Amino acid sequence: MMVNAAPETAEHDDGPSGAEPAVTGAAYGVLLMLGLVVGVVGAFEHEWYLFGTLPIGGVLAVLVLFAIPYTMGRLMRTRLAAGVVAVGWVIPSMILAGPRPEGDLAIAATLGGYIYLYGGLVAVALAVVLVPSTGGSWLLRQNIHIR
C-alpha cells in the first residue's frame, strides 16, 4: 500500500487581505462625503429661477441627485454605494430644511424648495432601486489570476 506523503499544494483562499477592506471602507467614506457636499451645495443653490417662475435650480438638482448615486452604484456594482451617497445627501438637506433659532431657512417652503426636497428624495430612492447589485466592488476586482 502506497501513501501519498507529498504536502498538499492546493491554494487556500483565507478571505480578503488586510488592504482590501480598508480600500472599500475608504471608498464608502468618500461616497458619504460626496453626498454631504451635494446636500450642502444643493441646499443653497436650488432656488435659481428662470423667467422668474420656473425653479430651474430645483429641477437641475433633482437630475443631479439621480445621476450621482446611480453612477456611483453602477461603478461600485452595489446598491450600498448608491445608498451611502443618498444618506449623505439626506443628512444635510433635512438639517438645513429645519427652522433655525435666527429664523432663517436654507431650504424654504417655496416651489423650488419642495421640488428639491421631495423630488430629491424620489430621485435618490429611484437611483438606489435601479442600480443592479451584482456583488463585489470594482475596486477590489482582480483581473489577473496567476496560477
Side-chain angles (χ1 to χ4, degrees):
M1 182 159 108
M2 186 174 251
V3 177
N4 187 1
E8 191 173 316
T9 59
E11 296 179 19
H12 294 290
D13 186 16
D14 295 331
S17 69
E20 290 174 357
V23 170
T24 301
Y28 285 121
V30 168
L31 291 176
L32 181 68
M33 294 303 294
L34 175 64
L36 291 170
V37 168
V38 168
V40 171
V41 170
F44 291 107
E45 299 299 326
H46 71 278
E47 287 289 335
W48 294 348
Y49 283 88
L50 187 65
F51 305 120
T53 58
L54 181 65
I56 195 71
V59 173
L60 289 174
V62 169
L63 293 174
V64 168
L65 287 172
F66 175 79
I68 290 177
Y70 182 76
T71 303
M72 295 302 111
R74 292 288 298 224
L75 287 174
M76 294 282 290
R77 294 186 177 170
T78 178
R79 286 190 180 120
L80 180 62
V84 168
V85 176
V87 167
W89 170 77
V90 167
I91 292 170
S93 295
M94 292 302 137
I95 290 172
L96 293 171
R100 307 235 341 123
E102 300 86 19
D104 295 338
L105 293 173
I107 303 173
T110 61
L111 180 60
Y114 287 134
I115 289 174
Y116 176 70
L117 276 181
Y118 298 120
L121 287 171
V122 170
V124 295
L126 276 175
V128 171
V129 169
L130 292 177
V131 169
S133 188
T134 58
S137 171
W138 66 275
L139 287 173
L140 304 179
R141 190 175 58 229
Q142 295 178 2
N143 295 327
I144 300 173
H145 297 286
I146 300 172
R147 294 193 186 236

